[in-house]
Amino acid sequence: MKIENESRHAAIRSQQRGIPQLIIDWLITYGAVATDGRGASTHYFDHHARRRLSQDVGVRVVTLLGRLMDAYLVMSHDGTIITVGYRFKAIHRG
């Protein structure tokens, strides 16, 4: 799934942080979602999301991608990706 609705900021951040389009697609498809109560949502790989992804692409693939599995993205209510990055702490579900 190719994302057409990505902010310029998100495109720059994904390039700067080395987050490939494949990971962004997987975050949208498999990622857990936490809402902020104002219309934006954070997509990230929790234990369950990693398990679902592993079932489709294989445990070895997920293991080899290592640090990329700590990626997250923030999406607005209209589906625009606002930013992407790496988690350094837990994401609070809202």
Side-chain angles (χ1 to χ4, degrees):
M1 158 189 351
K2 175 70 175 153
I3 302 305
E4 301 295 332
N5 209 8
E6 180 178 54
S7 70
R8 179 168 159 71
H9 175 79
I12 291 168
R13 290 297 179 252
S14 64
Q15 182 180 21
Q16 287 174 337
R17 295 172 177 162
I19 301 173
Q21 185 64 44
L22 177 64
I23 298 299
I24 292 171
D25 294 343
W26 284 350
L27 280 165
I28 293 167
T29 305
Y30 297 98
V33 178
T35 58
D36 71 353
R38 295 176 288 163
S41 58
T42 302
H43 298 248
Y44 60 98
F45 296 115
D46 65 357
H47 180 73
H48 299 290
R50 289 177 196 227
R51 183 179 300 146
R52 287 190 305 272
L53 180 60
S54 294
Q55 289 172 347
D56 284 353
V57 302
V59 174
R60 182 145 171 83
V61 172
V62 173
T63 302
L64 288 172
L65 291 175
R67 177 167 147 70
L68 292 174
M69 293 291 105
D70 290 333
Y72 72 91
L73 66 82
V74 178
M75 185 180 291
S76 69
H77 68 284
D78 67 358
T80 301
I81 299 173
I82 300 168
T83 194
V84 296
Y86 288 105
R87 293 186 303 138
F88 295 103
K89 60 182 182 176
I91 292 177
H92 300 284
R93 293 177 178 239

Coordinates of all heavy atoms in Angstrom, one line a residue:
M1 N 0.8 -1.2 0.0 CA 0.0 0.0 0.0 C 0.9 1.2 0.0 O 1.6 1.5 0.9 CB -0.9 0.0 1.2 CG -1.4 1.3 1.6 SD -2.3 1.5 3.2 CE -2.5 -0.1 3.9
K2 N 0.8 2.0 -1.0 CA 1.6 3.3 -1.1 C 0.8 4.4 -0.6 O -0.4 4.6 -0.9 CB 1.9 3.5 -2.6 CG 2.6 4.8 -2.9 CD 4.0 4.8 -2.3 CE 4.7 6.2 -2.7 NZ 5.7 6.5 -1.8
I3 N 1.4 5.2 0.3 CA 0.7 6.3 1.0 C 0.8 7.5 0.1 O 2.0 7.9 -0.2 CB 1.2 6.5 2.4 CG1 1.1 5.3 3.2 CG2 0.6 7.7 3.0 CD1 -0.3 4.7 3.3
E4 N -0.3 8.1 -0.3 CA -0.2 9.3 -1.1 C -0.3 10.6 -0.3 O 0.0 11.6 -0.7 CB -1.4 9.3 -2.1 CG -1.4 8.1 -3.0 CD -0.3 8.0 -4.0 OE1 0.3 9.1 -4.3 OE2 0.1 6.9 -4.4
N5 N -0.8 10.4 0.9 CA -1.1 11.6 1.8 C -0.1 11.7 2.9 O -0.4 11.4 4.0 CB -2.6 11.5 2.3 CG -3.2 12.8 2.5 OD1 -2.7 13.8 2.2 ND2 -4.4 12.8 3.1
E6 N 1.0 12.2 2.6 CA 2.1 12.3 3.6 C 2.6 13.8 3.6 O 2.8 14.3 2.5 CB 3.3 11.4 3.2 CG 4.4 11.4 4.1 CD 5.5 10.4 3.7 OE1 5.9 10.5 2.5 OE2 5.9 9.6 4.5
S7 N 2.6 14.4 4.8 CA 3.1 15.8 4.8 C 4.6 15.9 4.4 O 5.3 14.9 4.5 CB 2.9 16.3 6.3 OG 3.8 15.7 7.2
R8 N 4.9 17.0 4.1 CA 6.4 17.3 3.7 C 7.2 17.0 4.9 O 8.3 16.4 4.8 CB 6.5 18.7 3.2 CG 7.9 19.1 2.9 CD 8.0 20.4 2.1 NE 9.2 21.1 2.2 CZ 10.3 20.7 1.5 NH1 10.3 19.6 0.8 NH2 11.5 21.3 1.6
H9 N 6.8 17.4 6.1 CA 7.5 17.1 7.3 C 7.8 15.6 7.5 O 8.9 15.2 7.8 CB 6.8 17.7 8.5 CG 7.4 17.4 9.8 ND1 8.5 18.1 10.3 CD2 7.1 16.4 10.7 CE1 8.8 17.5 11.5 NE2 8.0 16.5 11.8
A10 N 6.7 14.8 7.3 CA 6.8 13.4 7.5 C 7.8 12.8 6.5 O 8.6 11.9 6.8 CB 5.5 12.7 7.3
A11 N 7.8 13.3 5.2 CA 8.7 12.8 4.2 C 10.1 13.1 4.6 O 11.0 12.2 4.4 CB 8.3 13.4 2.8
I12 N 10.4 14.3 5.0 CA 11.7 14.7 5.5 C 12.2 13.8 6.6 O 13.3 13.3 6.7 CB 11.8 16.2 5.8 CG1 11.6 17.0 4.5 CG2 13.1 16.5 6.5 CD1 11.4 18.5 4.7
R13 N 11.3 13.7 7.6 CA 11.7 12.9 8.8 C 11.9 11.4 8.5 O 12.9 10.8 9.1 CB 10.6 13.0 9.9 CG 10.5 14.4 10.5 CD 11.8 14.8 11.3 NE 11.7 16.1 11.8 CZ 12.3 17.2 11.4 NH1 13.1 17.1 10.3 NH2 12.2 18.3 12.0
S14 N 11.1 10.8 7.7 CA 11.4 9.4 7.3 C 12.7 9.2 6.6 O 13.4 8.3 6.9 CB 10.2 8.9 6.5 OG 10.1 9.5 5.3
Q15 N 13.1 10.2 5.8 CA 14.4 10.1 5.1 C 15.5 10.4 6.1 O 16.5 9.6 6.2 CB 14.5 11.2 4.0 CG 15.8 11.1 3.3 CD 15.9 12.1 2.1 OE1 15.1 13.1 2.2 NE2 16.7 11.9 1.2
Q16 N 15.4 11.4 7.0 CA 16.4 11.7 8.0 C 16.6 10.5 9.0 O 17.7 10.2 9.4 CB 16.0 12.9 8.8 CG 16.2 14.2 8.0 CD 15.7 15.4 8.8 OE1 14.9 15.2 9.7 NE2 16.1 16.6 8.5
R17 N 15.5 9.9 9.3 CA 15.6 8.8 10.3 C 15.7 7.4 9.8 O 15.8 6.4 10.5 CB 14.3 8.9 11.2 CG 14.3 10.2 12.0 CD 13.1 10.5 12.7 NE 13.2 11.8 13.5 CZ 12.2 12.5 13.9 NH1 11.0 12.0 13.8 NH2 12.4 13.6 14.6
G18 N 15.8 7.3 8.4 CA 16.0 6.0 7.8 C 14.9 5.1 8.0 O 15.1 3.9 8.2
I19 N 13.6 5.6 7.9 CA 12.5 4.7 8.0 C 11.9 4.5 6.6 O 11.4 5.4 6.0 CB 11.4 5.3 8.9 CG1 12.0 5.6 10.3 CG2 10.2 4.4 9.0 CD1 11.1 6.3 11.3
P20 N 12.1 3.3 6.1 CA 11.6 3.0 4.7 C 10.1 2.9 4.6 O 9.4 2.7 5.5 CB 12.2 1.6 4.4 CG 12.5 1.0 5.7 CD 12.7 2.1 6.7
Q21 N 9.6 3.1 3.3 CA 8.2 3.1 3.0 C 7.6 1.8 3.5 O 6.4 1.8 3.9 CB 8.0 3.3 1.5 CG 6.5 3.5 1.2 CD 5.8 4.7 1.8 OE1 6.4 5.8 1.8 NE2 4.6 4.5 2.3
L22 N 8.3 0.7 3.4 CA 7.7 -0.6 3.8 C 7.3 -0.6 5.2 O 6.2 -1.1 5.6 CB 8.7 -1.7 3.5 CG 8.3 -3.1 4.0 CD1 7.1 -3.6 3.2 CD2 9.5 -4.1 3.8
I23 N 8.1 0.0 6.1 CA 7.8 0.1 7.5 C 6.6 0.9 7.8 O 5.7 0.6 8.6 CB 9.0 0.5 8.3 CG1 10.2 -0.4 8.2 CG2 8.7 0.8 9.8 CD1 9.9 -1.8 8.7
I24 N 6.5 2.0 7.0 CA 5.3 2.9 7.2 C 4.1 2.2 6.7 O 3.0 2.3 7.4 CB 5.5 4.2 6.3 CG1 6.7 5.0 6.9 CG2 4.3 5.0 6.2 CD1 7.1 6.2 6.1
D25 N 4.1 1.4 5.6 CA 3.0 0.7 5.2 C 2.6 -0.4 6.2 O 1.4 -0.6 6.5 CB 3.3 0.0 3.9 CG 3.5 0.9 2.7 OD1 3.1 2.1 2.8 OD2 4.1 0.5 1.7
W26 N 3.6 -1.1 6.8 CA 3.3 -2.1 7.9 C 2.7 -1.4 9.1 O 1.9 -2.0 9.8 CB 4.6 -2.9 8.2 CG 4.9 -3.9 7.2 CD1 4.2 -4.3 6.1 CD2 6.2 -4.6 7.2 NE1 4.9 -5.3 5.4 CE2 6.1 -5.5 6.0 CE3 7.3 -4.7 8.0 CZ2 7.1 -6.4 5.7 CZ3 8.3 -5.6 7.6 CH2 8.2 -6.4 6.5
L27 N 3.2 -0.2 9.5 CA 2.6 0.4 10.6 C 1.2 0.7 10.4 O 0.4 0.5 11.4 CB 3.4 1.8 10.9 CG 4.7 1.7 11.6 CD1 5.5 3.0 11.5 CD2 4.5 1.3 13.1
I28 N 0.8 1.1 9.3 CA -0.6 1.4 9.0 C -1.4 0.1 8.9 O -2.5 0.1 9.5 CB -0.7 2.2 7.7 CG1 -0.1 3.6 7.8 CG2 -2.2 2.3 7.2 CD1 0.1 4.3 6.5
T29 N -0.9 -0.9 8.4 CA -1.6 -2.2 8.2 C -1.7 -3.0 9.5 O -2.7 -3.6 9.9 CB -1.0 -3.0 7.1 OG1 -0.9 -2.3 5.9 CG2 -1.7 -4.3 6.8
Y30 N -0.5 -3.1 10.2 CA -0.4 -4.0 11.3 C -0.3 -3.3 12.7 O -0.5 -4.0 13.7 CB 0.8 -4.9 11.2 CG 0.8 -5.9 10.0 CD1 1.4 -5.5 8.8 CD2 0.1 -7.1 10.0 CE1 1.4 -6.3 7.7 CE2 0.0 -7.9 8.9 CZ 0.7 -7.5 7.8 OH 0.7 -8.4 6.7
G31 N 0.0 -2.1 12.7 CA 0.4 -1.4 14.0 C -0.8 -1.2 14.9 O -2.0 -1.1 14.5
A32 N -0.5 -1.2 16.2 CA -1.4 -0.8 17.2 C -1.7 0.7 17.1 O -0.8 1.4 16.6 CB -0.9 -1.1 18.6
V33 N -2.8 1.1 17.5 CA -3.2 2.5 17.4 C -3.6 3.1 18.7 O -4.4 2.6 19.5 CB -4.4 2.7 16.4 CG1 -4.8 4.2 16.3 CG2 -4.1 2.1 15.0
A34 N -3.0 4.3 19.0 CA -3.3 5.0 20.2 C -3.8 6.4 19.8 O -3.1 7.1 19.0 CB -2.1 5.2 21.1
T35 N -5.0 6.8 20.2 CA -5.5 8.1 19.8 C -5.1 9.2 20.9 O -4.9 8.8 22.1 CB -7.0 8.1 19.7 OG1 -7.6 7.7 20.9 CG2 -7.4 7.1 18.5
D36 N -5.1 10.4 20.4 CA -4.7 11.5 21.4 C -5.9 12.3 21.9 O -5.8 13.2 22.6 CB -3.7 12.4 20.8 CG -4.2 13.3 19.7 OD1 -5.4 13.1 19.3 OD2 -3.5 14.2 19.2
G37 N -7.1 11.9 21.4 CA -8.3 12.6 21.8 C -8.6 13.9 21.1 O -9.6 14.5 21.3
R38 N -7.7 14.3 20.2 CA -7.9 15.5 19.4 C -8.0 15.2 17.9 O -7.9 16.1 17.1 CB -6.8 16.5 19.7 CG -6.9 17.0 21.1 CD -5.7 17.9 21.4 NE -4.5 17.1 21.4 CZ -3.3 17.5 21.4 NH1 -3.1 18.8 21.2 NH2 -2.2 16.7 21.4
G39 N -8.1 13.9 17.5 CA -8.2 13.5 16.1 C -7.0 12.9 15.5 O -7.0 12.3 14.4
A40 N -5.8 12.9 16.2 CA -4.6 12.3 15.6 C -4.5 10.9 16.3 O -5.0 10.7 17.4 CB -3.4 13.1 15.9
S41 N -3.8 10.0 15.6 CA -3.5 8.7 16.1 C -2.1 8.3 15.9 O -1.4 8.7 14.9 CB -4.4 7.7 15.4 OG -4.2 7.7 14.0
T42 N -1.5 7.6 16.8 CA -0.1 7.1 16.7 C -0.2 5.6 16.5 O -0.9 4.9 17.1 CB 0.6 7.3 18.1 OG1 0.6 8.7 18.4 CG2 2.0 6.9 18.0
H43 N 0.5 5.2 15.4 CA 0.6 3.8 15.0 C 2.0 3.3 15.4 O 3.0 4.0 15.0 CB 0.4 3.7 13.5 CG -1.0 4.1 13.0 ND1 -1.9 3.3 12.5 CD2 -1.5 5.4 13.0 CE1 -3.0 4.0 12.2 NE2 -2.8 5.2 12.5
Y44 N 2.1 2.1 16.0 CA 3.3 1.6 16.5 C 3.2 0.1 16.5 O 2.1 -0.5 16.5 CB 3.7 2.2 17.8 CG 2.7 1.9 18.9 CD1 2.9 0.9 19.8 CD2 1.6 2.6 19.0 CE1 2.0 0.6 20.8 CE2 0.6 2.4 20.0 CZ 0.9 1.3 20.9 OH -0.1 1.0 21.9
F45 N 4.3 -0.6 16.7 CA 4.4 -2.0 16.8 C 4.4 -2.4 18.2 O 5.5 -2.2 18.9 CB 5.6 -2.6 16.0 CG 5.6 -2.4 14.6 CD1 6.6 -1.7 14.0 CD2 4.6 -3.0 13.8 CE1 6.6 -1.5 12.6 CE2 4.6 -2.8 12.4 CZ 5.6 -2.1 11.8
D46 N 3.3 -2.9 18.8 CA 3.4 -3.5 20.1 C 3.6 -5.0 19.9 O 3.8 -5.5 18.8 CB 2.1 -3.2 20.9 CG 0.8 -3.8 20.3 OD1 0.9 -4.4 19.3 OD2 -0.2 -3.6 21.0
H47 N 3.5 -5.8 21.0 CA 3.7 -7.2 21.0 C 2.7 -7.9 20.0 O 3.1 -8.8 19.2 CB 3.6 -7.8 22.4 CG 3.8 -9.3 22.4 ND1 5.0 -9.9 22.3 CD2 2.9 -10.3 22.6 CE1 4.9 -11.2 22.3 NE2 3.6 -11.5 22.5
H48 N 1.5 -7.5 20.1 CA 0.4 -8.1 19.3 C 0.6 -7.8 17.8 O 0.4 -8.6 16.9 CB -1.0 -7.7 19.7 CG -1.2 -8.2 21.1 ND1 -1.4 -9.5 21.5 CD2 -1.4 -7.5 22.3 CE1 -1.6 -9.6 22.8 NE2 -1.6 -8.3 23.3
A49 N 1.0 -6.5 17.5 CA 1.2 -6.1 16.1 C 2.4 -6.9 15.5 O 2.4 -7.3 14.4 CB 1.5 -4.6 16.1
R50 N 3.4 -7.0 16.3 CA 4.6 -7.8 15.8 C 4.2 -9.3 15.5 O 4.7 -9.8 14.6 CB 5.7 -7.7 16.8 CG 6.4 -6.4 16.9 CD 7.5 -6.4 18.0 NE 7.8 -5.0 18.3 CZ 9.1 -4.6 18.5 NH1 10.1 -5.4 18.3 NH2 9.3 -3.4 18.8
R51 N 3.4 -9.8 16.4 CA 2.9 -11.2 16.2 C 2.1 -11.3 14.9 O 2.4 -12.3 14.1 CB 2.1 -11.7 17.4 CG 1.7 -13.2 17.2 CD 0.9 -13.7 18.3 NE 1.6 -13.6 19.6 CZ 1.1 -13.3 20.8 NH1 -0.2 -13.2 20.9 NH2 1.8 -13.3 21.8
R52 N 1.2 -10.4 14.6 CA 0.4 -10.4 13.4 C 1.3 -10.3 12.2 O 1.2 -11.0 11.2 CB -0.6 -9.3 13.4 CG -1.8 -9.6 14.3 CD -2.9 -8.6 14.1 NE -2.5 -7.2 14.2 CZ -2.5 -6.5 15.4 NH1 -2.8 -7.1 16.5 NH2 -2.1 -5.2 15.4
L53 N 2.3 -9.4 12.3 CA 3.2 -9.2 11.2 C 4.1 -10.4 10.9 O 4.3 -10.8 9.8 CB 4.1 -7.9 11.5 CG 5.2 -7.6 10.4 CD1 4.5 -7.3 9.1 CD2 6.0 -6.4 10.9
S54 N 4.5 -11.0 12.0 CA 5.3 -12.2 11.9 C 4.6 -13.4 11.2 O 5.2 -14.1 10.5 CB 5.8 -12.7 13.3 OG 6.7 -11.8 13.9
Q55 N 3.3 -13.5 11.5 CA 2.5 -14.5 10.9 C 2.4 -14.3 9.4 O 2.3 -15.3 8.6 CB 1.1 -14.5 11.5 CG 1.1 -15.0 12.9 CD -0.3 -14.9 13.5 OE1 -1.2 -14.2 13.0 NE2 -0.5 -15.5 14.7
D56 N 2.4 -13.1 8.9 CA 2.3 -12.8 7.5 C 3.7 -12.8 6.7 O 3.8 -13.3 5.6 CB 1.6 -11.5 7.2 CG 0.1 -11.6 7.4 OD1 -0.4 -12.7 7.7 OD2 -0.6 -10.6 7.4
V57 N 4.7 -12.3 7.4 CA 6.0 -12.1 6.6 C 7.1 -13.0 7.2 O 8.1 -13.2 6.6 CB 6.5 -10.7 6.6 CG1 5.5 -9.7 6.0 CG2 6.9 -10.2 8.0
G58 N 6.9 -13.6 8.3 CA 7.8 -14.5 8.9 C 8.6 -13.9 10.1 O 8.9 -12.7 10.1
V59 N 8.8 -14.7 11.1 CA 9.5 -14.3 12.3 C 10.9 -13.8 12.0 O 11.4 -12.8 12.5 CB 9.6 -15.5 13.4 CG1 10.4 -15.1 14.6 CG2 8.2 -15.9 13.8
R60 N 11.6 -14.5 11.1 CA 13.0 -14.1 10.7 C 13.0 -12.7 10.2 O 13.9 -11.9 10.5 CB 13.6 -15.1 9.8 CG 15.0 -14.8 9.4 CD 15.8 -16.1 9.2 NE 17.1 -15.9 8.6 CZ 18.1 -15.6 9.3 NH1 18.0 -15.4 10.6 NH2 19.3 -15.4 8.7
V61 N 12.1 -12.4 9.3 CA 12.1 -11.0 8.7 C 11.9 -10.0 9.8 O 12.7 -9.0 9.8 CB 11.0 -10.9 7.7 CG1 10.8 -9.5 7.2 CG2 11.2 -11.8 6.5
V62 N 11.0 -10.2 10.7 CA 10.7 -9.2 11.8 C 12.0 -9.1 12.7 O 12.4 -8.0 13.1 CB 9.5 -9.6 12.6 CG1 9.3 -8.7 13.8 CG2 8.2 -9.5 11.7
T63 N 12.6 -10.2 13.0 CA 13.8 -10.2 13.8 C 14.9 -9.5 13.1 O 15.6 -8.7 13.8 CB 14.2 -11.7 14.1 OG1 13.1 -12.3 14.8 CG2 15.5 -11.7 15.0
L64 N 15.1 -9.7 11.9 CA 16.2 -9.1 11.1 C 16.0 -7.6 11.0 O 17.0 -6.8 10.9 CB 16.4 -9.7 9.8 CG 17.0 -11.1 9.7 CD1 16.9 -11.6 8.3 CD2 18.4 -11.1 10.2
L65 N 14.8 -7.1 11.0 CA 14.5 -5.7 10.9 C 14.8 -4.9 12.2 O 14.9 -3.7 12.2 CB 13.1 -5.4 10.4 CG 12.9 -5.8 9.0 CD1 11.5 -5.7 8.5 CD2 13.8 -5.0 8.0
G66 N 14.9 -5.6 13.3 CA 15.3 -5.1 14.6 C 14.8 -3.7 15.0 O 13.7 -3.6 15.3
R67 N 15.7 -2.7 14.9 CA 15.4 -1.4 15.4 C 14.2 -0.7 14.6 O 13.5 0.1 15.1 CB 16.7 -0.5 15.2 CG 16.5 0.9 15.6 CD 17.8 1.7 15.7 NE 17.8 3.0 15.3 CZ 17.1 4.0 16.0 NH1 16.4 3.7 17.1 NH2 17.2 5.3 15.6
L68 N 14.0 -1.1 13.4 CA 12.9 -0.6 12.6 C 11.6 -0.9 13.2 O 10.6 -0.2 13.0 CB 13.0 -1.1 11.1 CG 14.1 -0.6 10.3 CD1 14.1 -1.2 8.9 CD2 14.1 0.9 10.1
M69 N 11.5 -1.9 14.0 CA 10.3 -2.3 14.7 C 9.9 -1.3 15.8 O 8.9 -1.4 16.4 CB 10.4 -3.7 15.2 CG 10.4 -4.8 14.1 SD 8.9 -5.0 13.2 CE 9.4 -4.2 11.7
D70 N 10.8 -0.4 16.2 CA 10.6 0.6 17.2 C 10.0 1.9 16.5 O 9.9 2.9 17.2 CB 11.8 0.9 18.0 CG 12.2 -0.2 18.9 OD1 11.4 -1.0 19.3 OD2 13.4 -0.4 19.2
A71 N 9.8 1.8 15.2 CA 9.3 3.0 14.5 C 7.8 3.3 14.9 O 7.1 2.4 15.4 CB 9.4 2.8 13.0
Y72 N 7.4 4.6 14.7 CA 6.0 4.9 14.9 C 5.7 6.0 13.9 O 6.6 6.6 13.3 CB 5.7 5.5 16.4 CG 6.3 6.8 16.6 CD1 5.6 8.0 16.4 CD2 7.6 7.0 17.0 CE1 6.1 9.2 16.6 CE2 8.2 8.2 17.3 CZ 7.4 9.4 17.0 OH 8.0 10.6 17.2
L73 N 4.4 6.2 13.7 CA 4.0 7.4 12.9 C 2.7 8.0 13.5 O 2.0 7.3 14.3 CB 3.7 6.9 11.4 CG 2.5 6.0 11.1 CD1 1.2 6.7 11.0 CD2 2.8 5.3 9.8
V74 N 2.6 9.3 13.3 CA 1.4 10.0 13.7 C 0.6 10.4 12.5 O 1.1 11.0 11.6 CB 1.8 11.3 14.5 CG1 0.6 12.0 15.0 CG2 2.7 10.9 15.7
M75 N -0.7 10.1 12.6 CA -1.6 10.3 11.4 C -2.7 11.2 11.9 O -3.3 11.0 13.0 CB -2.2 9.0 10.9 CG -3.0 9.1 9.7 SD -3.6 7.5 9.1 CE -2.1 6.8 8.6
S76 N -3.1 12.2 11.1 CA -4.2 13.1 11.4 C -5.5 12.4 11.1 O -5.6 11.3 10.5 CB -4.1 14.4 10.6 OG -4.4 14.1 9.2
H77 N -6.6 13.0 11.5 CA -7.9 12.5 11.4 C -8.3 12.2 9.9 O -9.1 11.4 9.6 CB -9.0 13.3 12.0 CG -9.2 14.7 11.4 ND1 -8.3 15.7 11.5 CD2 -10.1 15.1 10.5 CE1 -8.6 16.7 10.8 NE2 -9.8 16.4 10.2
D78 N -7.7 13.0 9.0 CA -8.0 12.9 7.6 C -7.1 11.9 6.8 O -7.2 11.7 5.6 CB -8.0 14.2 6.9 CG -6.6 14.8 6.8 OD1 -5.6 14.3 7.3 OD2 -6.5 15.9 6.2
G79 N -6.2 11.2 7.6 CA -5.3 10.2 7.0 C -4.0 10.7 6.5 O -3.2 9.9 6.0
T80 N -3.7 11.9 6.8 CA -2.4 12.5 6.4 C -1.3 12.1 7.5 O -1.6 12.2 8.7 CB -2.4 14.0 6.4 OG1 -3.4 14.4 5.4 CG2 -1.0 14.6 6.0
I81 N -0.2 11.5 7.0 CA 0.9 11.2 8.0 C 1.6 12.5 8.4 O 2.1 13.2 7.5 CB 1.8 10.2 7.4 CG1 1.1 8.9 7.0 CG2 3.0 9.9 8.3 CD1 1.9 7.9 6.3
I82 N 1.6 12.8 9.6 CA 2.1 14.0 10.1 C 3.6 13.9 10.4 O 4.4 14.8 10.0 CB 1.4 14.5 11.4 CG1 -0.1 14.7 11.1 CG2 2.1 15.7 12.0 CD1 -0.9 14.9 12.4
T83 N 4.1 12.9 11.0 CA 5.5 12.7 11.3 C 5.7 11.2 11.6 O 4.8 10.4 11.8 CB 5.9 13.5 12.5 OG1 7.4 13.5 12.6 CG2 5.4 13.0 13.8
V84 N 7.0 10.8 11.5 CA 7.5 9.5 11.8 C 8.7 9.5 12.7 O 9.4 10.5 12.6 CB 7.8 8.6 10.5 CG1 6.5 8.4 9.7 CG2 8.8 9.3 9.7
G85 N 9.0 8.5 13.4 CA 10.2 8.5 14.3 C 10.4 7.2 14.9 O 9.7 6.2 14.6
Y86 N 11.2 7.1 15.9 CA 11.5 5.9 16.7 C 11.1 6.1 18.1 O 11.3 7.2 18.7 CB 13.0 5.6 16.7 CG 13.5 5.1 15.3 CD1 14.2 5.9 14.5 CD2 13.1 3.8 14.9 CE1 14.6 5.4 13.2 CE2 13.5 3.3 13.7 CZ 14.3 4.1 12.8 OH 14.7 3.7 11.6
R87 N 10.5 5.1 18.7 CA 10.0 5.2 20.1 C 11.2 5.0 21.0 O 12.0 4.1 20.8 CB 9.0 4.1 20.4 CG 7.7 4.3 19.7 CD 6.7 3.2 20.2 NE 7.1 1.9 20.0 CZ 7.0 0.9 20.8 NH1 6.4 1.1 22.0 NH2 7.4 -0.3 20.6
F88 N 11.3 5.8 22.1 CA 12.3 5.6 23.1 C 11.6 5.4 24.5 O 12.3 5.0 25.4 CB 13.2 6.9 23.2 CG 14.0 7.1 22.0 CD1 13.7 8.1 21.1 CD2 15.1 6.3 21.7 CE1 14.4 8.3 19.9 CE2 15.9 6.5 20.6 CZ 15.5 7.5 19.7
K89 N 10.3 5.5 24.5 CA 9.6 5.2 25.7 C 8.2 4.7 25.3 O 7.8 4.7 24.1 CB 9.4 6.5 26.6 CG 8.7 7.6 25.9 CD 8.7 8.8 26.8 CE 7.9 10.0 26.1 NZ 7.8 11.1 27.0
A90 N 7.4 4.2 26.2 CA 6.1 3.7 26.0 C 5.2 4.7 25.4 O 5.3 5.9 25.8 CB 5.6 3.1 27.2
I91 N 4.3 4.3 24.5 CA 3.2 5.1 24.0 C 2.0 4.9 24.9 O 1.6 3.8 25.1 CB 2.9 4.8 22.5 CG1 4.2 5.2 21.7 CG2 1.7 5.5 22.1 CD1 4.1 4.8 20.2
H92 N 1.4 6.0 25.4 CA 0.3 5.9 26.2 C -1.0 5.9 25.4 O -1.2 6.7 24.5 CB 0.2 7.1 27.2 CG 1.4 7.1 28.1 ND1 1.6 6.3 29.1 CD2 2.5 7.9 28.0 CE1 2.7 6.5 29.7 NE2 3.3 7.5 29.1
R93 N -1.8 4.9 25.6 CA -3.0 4.7 24.8 C -4.0 5.7 25.4 O -4.2 5.9 26.6 CB -3.6 3.3 24.9 CG -2.7 2.3 24.2 CD -3.2 0.9 24.4 NE -2.3 0.0 23.7 CZ -2.8 -0.7 22.7 NH1 -4.0 -0.8 22.4 NH2 -1.9 -1.5 22.1
G94 N -4.7 6.4 24.5 CA -5.7 7.4 24.9 C -7.1 7.0 24.6 O -7.5 6.1 24.1

